[in-house]
């Protein structure tokens, strides 16, 4: 098994929080029952799970009529049935085929060769002993079919149909994410079932290959094992299991091995001094979560995460100042199932906290009902989660990624709910950041300061409460999308005319060129005459305007050396031009 387990977060279970998992998909033969009608004990456990809010899906290789013959009240103990190894859905008396049937000519050909088979709506069911004959006929007829073993049984299915695809279709009908689902099985045809869910569970009597790939192997076989699991700590939220297949790779450790954190059921804090890459790391986490199929909402006060909109499954809203209502945002998340970036950069600062409060309440209500969104990423989290802010925060829900340069301003219960800390150090490794690393990692202040001192540019210190006494320096990996640092300052052209930058060849000669934002400044610098560059560099005009008007001292500090170099003759005009434009571009799009 490739699994990490940790106790549930503060407040899970006892608070009434419904928990991370919303559905359980259970195989029938060999899992729910050894054979025939299920034991009353496991049926009682299924009914208890449903009464507690879990959806139950029975996923079987059986033809639906054959299942109903031995388990006629299956629909009374399950919310949905996936039959014929993913080929048929049954719910509330309705049945739907998910694929075209295996061609009838194959059944006729097998009959002529003395091979008995049973025809379902989609599949053919045969004896495993006849596999070589079935395969020969499939090849002779030139069919695109697959042969799937289920212990002594053999199923012939259309290509691409599996228990995993059937479960995906069933969950879509129920409105539940596969990431909020546990799957339990025992046989060869259950590999795709377990792989399709967030957590794959094998009963004790499962085939060896399935147990080897499962995230959890139960201590008991079939019904008793399933009943104990349904009543156990994982579904109740008292214990969190983190499969290695659902991980976020932050970067690499000193020995070159990947540094990863769980992709669900944890709370993460990304912190450090300003301008050291916190939002970059948050975007790196968001990218990978979205690629893994998690539902993510990013609250973006400064427009740092607009670049995520380049991903196919990401919506960016609010860039023009028109934010969706809290109710509309929650509805969008339920239907979109990808990433949603809420850009608050055009919203007056005084209105942001109120919007965040309303939006969070709606999203948390939706998450309580459906499990979505899986993650809330909150940049500048010290504002809505400050010590004197209204108390919205559901630590039992997990799935918070908080980004702040002022962790000391967060309410104590927020810090206590953090599972994983990613710290990007600055010039004072022995200060407040070391206190936080020491507390989160259960290490001494001196050890925390030493870790922070080791971390250079592009690196962070990673600590996990589940592994006390340890910490690691991580070299942060590359992102797929560009980090748009304070993108509104780069693209926003709302400066009044008297505050814009006017390009001159000398003190008395204006050109026709102006800049109302950093993006326009970069563009004009690329095309203006050398005389314009020389005049403004001699007077330090570029850095002064950036600092005083755009309010971006770090960028002003980055471009001032280019002005000085041209003024002192240590750089040519072409070199100064290149240095100025590069500094602006890196400030707004790089780490």
């Amino acid at each position: 098994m490739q699994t990490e387990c940790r106790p549930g977060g503060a407040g899970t279970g006892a608070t009434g929080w419904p928990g991370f998992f919303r559905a359980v998909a259970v195989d029938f033969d060999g899992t729910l029952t050894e054979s025939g009608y299920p034991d009353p004990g496991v049926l009682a456990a299924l009914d208890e799970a449903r009464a507690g809010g879990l959806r139950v899906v029975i996923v079987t290789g059986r033809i639906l009529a054959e299942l109903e013959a031995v388990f006629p009240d299956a629909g009374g103990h399950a919310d949905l049935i996936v039959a014929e190894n993913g080929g048929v859905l049954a719910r509330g008396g309705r049945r739907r085929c998910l694929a075209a049937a295996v061609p009838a000519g194959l059944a006729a050909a097998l009959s002529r060769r003395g091979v008995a088979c049973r025809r379902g709506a989609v599949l053919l069911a045969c004896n495993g002993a006849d596999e070589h004959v079935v395969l020969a006929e499939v090849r002779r007829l030139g069919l695109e079919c697959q042969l799937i073993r289920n212990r002594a049984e053999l199923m012939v299915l259309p290509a691409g149909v599996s228990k995993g695809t059937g479960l995906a279709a069933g969950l879509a009908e129920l409105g539940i994410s596969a990431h909020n689902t546990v799957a339990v099985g025992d046989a060869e045809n259950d590999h795709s079932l377990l792989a399709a869910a967030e957590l794959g569970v094998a009963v004790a009597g499962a085939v060896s290959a399935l147990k080897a790939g499962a995230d959890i192997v139960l201590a008991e076989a079939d019904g008793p094992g399933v009943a104990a699991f349904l009543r156990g700590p994982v579904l109740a939220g008292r214990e969190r299991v983190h499969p290695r297949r659902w991980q976020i790779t932050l970067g690499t450790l000193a020995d070159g091995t990947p540094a990863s954190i769980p992709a669900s059921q944890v709370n993460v804090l990304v912190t450090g001094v300003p301008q050291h890459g916190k939002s970059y790391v948050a975007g790196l986490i968001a990218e990978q979560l979205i690629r893994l199929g998690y539902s993510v909402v990013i609250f973006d006060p400064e427009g740092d995460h607009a670049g995520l909109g380049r991903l196919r499954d990401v919506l960016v809203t609010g860039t023009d100042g028109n934010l969706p209502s809290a109710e509309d945002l929650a509805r969008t998340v339920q239907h979109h199932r990808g990433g949603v970036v809420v850009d608050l950069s055009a919203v007056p600062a005084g209105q942001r906290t109120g919007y965040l409060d309303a939006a969070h309440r709606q999203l948390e209500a939706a998450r309580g009902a459906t499990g979505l969104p899986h993650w809330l990423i909150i940049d500048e989290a010290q504002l809505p989660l400050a010590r004197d802010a209204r108390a919205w925060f559901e630590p039992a829900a997990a799935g918070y990624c908080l980004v702040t340069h002022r962790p000391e301003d967060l309410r104590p219960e927020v810090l206590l709910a953090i599972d994983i800390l990613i710290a990007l150090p600055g010039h004072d490794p022995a200060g407040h950041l070391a206190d936080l690393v020491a507390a989160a990692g259960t290490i001494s202040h001196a050890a925390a300061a030493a870790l922070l001192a080791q971390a250079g540019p592009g690196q962070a210190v990673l600590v996990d409460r589940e592994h006390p006494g340890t910490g690691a320096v991580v070299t942060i990996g590359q992102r797929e999308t560009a980090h748009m640092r304070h993108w509104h300052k780069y693209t926003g052209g709302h400066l009044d005319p008297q505050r814009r930058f006017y390009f001159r060849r000398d003190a008395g000669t204006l050109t026709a060129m102006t800049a109302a934002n950093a993006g326009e400044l970069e563009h004009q610098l690329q095309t203006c005459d050398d005389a314009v560059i020389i005049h403004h560099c001699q007077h330090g005009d570029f850095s002064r305007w950036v600092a005083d008007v755009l309010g971006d001292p770090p960028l002003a500090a980055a471009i001032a050396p280019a002005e000085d170099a041209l003024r002192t003759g240590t750089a040519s005009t072409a070199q100064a031009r290149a240095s100025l434009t590069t500094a602006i571009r890196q400030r707004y799009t790089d780490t």
Side-chain angles (χ1 to χ4, degrees):
M1 293 186 295
Q2 293 186 331
T3 303
E4 292 182 354
C5 299
R6 66 180 75 211
T12 53
T15 66
W17 179 254
F20 182 77
F21 293 108
R22 305 308 170 91
V24 179
V26 189
D27 168 54
F28 185 68
D29 292 291
T31 303
L32 199 60
T33 176
E34 184 177 0
S35 63
Y37 192 85
D39 182 84
V42 72
L43 294 182
L46 289 177
D47 294 343
E48 289 170 16
R50 295 179 71 200
L54 282 171
R55 299 293 191 97
V56 171
V57 181
I58 294 175
V59 187
T60 178
R62 286 190 182 231
I63 294 168
L64 189 58
E66 295 178 353
L67 173 69
E68 293 171 338
V70 298
F71 190 15
D73 55 343
H77 297 285
D79 297 276
L80 185 142
I81 297 170
V82 179
E84 297 198 21
N85 213 70
V88 175
L89 286 186
R91 183 187 185 196
R94 295 181 293 107
R95 302 180 184 188
R96 176 163 63 97
C97 290
L98 300 176
V102 170
L106 178 60
L110 292 173
S111 178
R112 288 192 295 269
R113 295 193 60 175
V115 173
C117 60
R118 307 183 311 281
R119 186 167 182 80
V122 173
L123 62 67
L124 289 181
C126 309
N127 191 295
D130 296 317
E131 183 173 5
H132 63 291
V133 180
V134 177
L135 179 58
E137 287 301 315
V138 169
R139 289 176 174 173
R140 185 183 67 80
L141 294 171
L143 301 178
E144 189 179 12
C145 294
Q146 57 180 336
L147 276 59
I148 305 293
R149 290 297 295 260
N150 181 10
R151 296 189 184 266
E153 298 295 315
L154 176 71
M155 294 170 289
V156 185
L157 288 153
V161 175
S162 69
K163 284 190 174 182
T165 62
L167 176 61
L171 292 174
E173 188 160 310
L174 294 173
I176 296 174
S177 167
H179 284 297
N180 297 109
T181 302
V182 177
V184 191
D186 79 300
E188 299 93 330
N189 62 330
D190 292 321
H191 283 286
S192 65
L193 175 64
L194 270 58
E198 175 83 2
L199 193 62
V201 179
V203 294
V207 297
S208 297
L210 191 73
K211 289 196 286 189
D215 303 309
I216 295 176
V217 176
L218 302 180
E220 298 178 87
D222 51 77
V226 173
F229 179 75
L230 290 172
R231 296 182 173 118
V234 172
L235 294 181
R238 297 190 301 272
E239 182 178 285
R240 298 175 182 173
V241 179
H242 301 291
R244 298 290 175 85
R245 58 202 172 98
W246 301 116
Q247 297 279 315
I248 300 162
T249 302
L250 294 176
T252 55
L253 300 172
D255 61 1
T257 57
S260 301
I261 62 174
S264 70
Q265 305 178 78
V266 291
N267 293 319
V268 178
L269 174 63
V270 183
T271 189
V273 299
Q275 314 305 329
H276 275 67
K278 298 182 302 300
S279 295
Y280 179 91
V281 172
L284 177 67
I285 292 171
E287 280 182 354
Q288 295 188 54
L289 289 171
I290 292 162
R291 288 300 191 200
L292 289 173
Y294 291 92
S295 172
V296 184
V297 176
I298 303 104
F299 289 111
D300 183 12
E302 298 294 342
D304 291 350
H305 301 288
L308 292 169
R310 298 175 184 176
L311 298 177
R312 182 174 60 86
D313 296 324
V314 176
L315 297 175
V316 179
T317 184
T319 52
D320 57 357
N322 294 318
L323 293 170
S325 68
E327 294 81 3
D328 285 345
L329 176 61
R331 278 193 291 269
T332 297
V333 170
Q334 299 305 305
H335 293 289
H336 177 58
R337 301 292 182 91
V340 178
V341 178
V342 183
D343 187 343
L344 299 164
S345 61
V347 177
Q351 299 177 18
R352 294 176 187 175
T353 300
Y355 179 83
L356 283 170
D357 180 64
H360 175 267
R361 292 182 187 280
Q362 286 291 330
L363 290 172
E364 214 56 272
R367 183 150 64 156
T370 70
L372 302 178
H374 299 116
W375 281 89
L376 296 174
I377 298 178
I378 307 173
D379 214 335
E380 302 294 341
Q382 74 277 3
L383 301 176
L385 297 176
R387 292 174 181 269
D388 58 351
R390 283 194 285 175
W392 62 261
F393 182 65
E394 180 50 75
Y400 285 93
C401 178
L402 308 179
V403 187
T404 178
H405 67 284
R406 295 190 60 84
E408 64 273 16
D409 288 352
L410 299 177
R411 296 201 309 275
E413 65 268 29
V414 174
L415 289 174
L416 287 173
I418 296 300
D419 299 292
I420 293 167
L421 172 67
I422 303 168
L424 294 107
H427 53 79
D428 185 18
H432 291 300
L433 200 54
D435 295 334
L436 189 60
V437 170
T442 319
I443 58 178
S444 69
H445 185 279
L451 277 173
L452 292 167
Q454 292 174 30
Q459 294 183 316
V461 171
L462 173 65
V463 292
D464 184 340
R465 290 189 192 273
E466 183 63 16
H467 304 288
T470 64
V473 175
V474 177
T475 298
I476 302 300
Q478 292 295 312
R479 282 182 48 172
E480 181 178 346
T481 60
H483 174 213
M484 307 296 188
R485 183 186 287 117
H486 303 308
W487 188 242
H488 67 292
K489 293 181 182 177
Y490 185 81
T491 59
H494 303 296
L495 290 177
D496 295 334
Q498 64 269 25
R499 302 184 67 214
R500 297 177 184 179
F501 191 93
Y502 291 85
F503 290 80
R504 302 171 182 268
R505 288 188 176 84
D506 54 51
T509 309
L510 279 170
T511 70
M513 304 167 70
T514 64
N517 54 60
E520 291 180 4
L521 179 65
E522 179 199 352
H523 175 72
Q524 303 290 36
L525 283 169
Q526 294 178 39
T527 58
C528 67
D529 293 342
D530 284 356
V532 174
I533 298 282
I534 294 169
H535 169 72
H536 290 298
C537 283
Q538 286 177 342
H539 296 86
D541 294 334
F542 297 126
S543 57
R544 186 180 307 109
W545 182 76
V546 166
D548 296 345
V549 178
L550 292 188
D552 196 341
L555 176 58
I559 65 178
E563 295 172 321
D564 293 340
L566 183 58
R567 183 167 54 249
T568 59
T570 57
S572 66
T573 306
Q575 290 171 328
R577 187 194 304 268
S579 296
L580 290 166
T581 56
T582 298
I584 297 170
R585 194 175 302 116
Q586 288 181 342
R587 165 67 176 153
Y588 291 103
T589 62
D590 291 345
T591 61

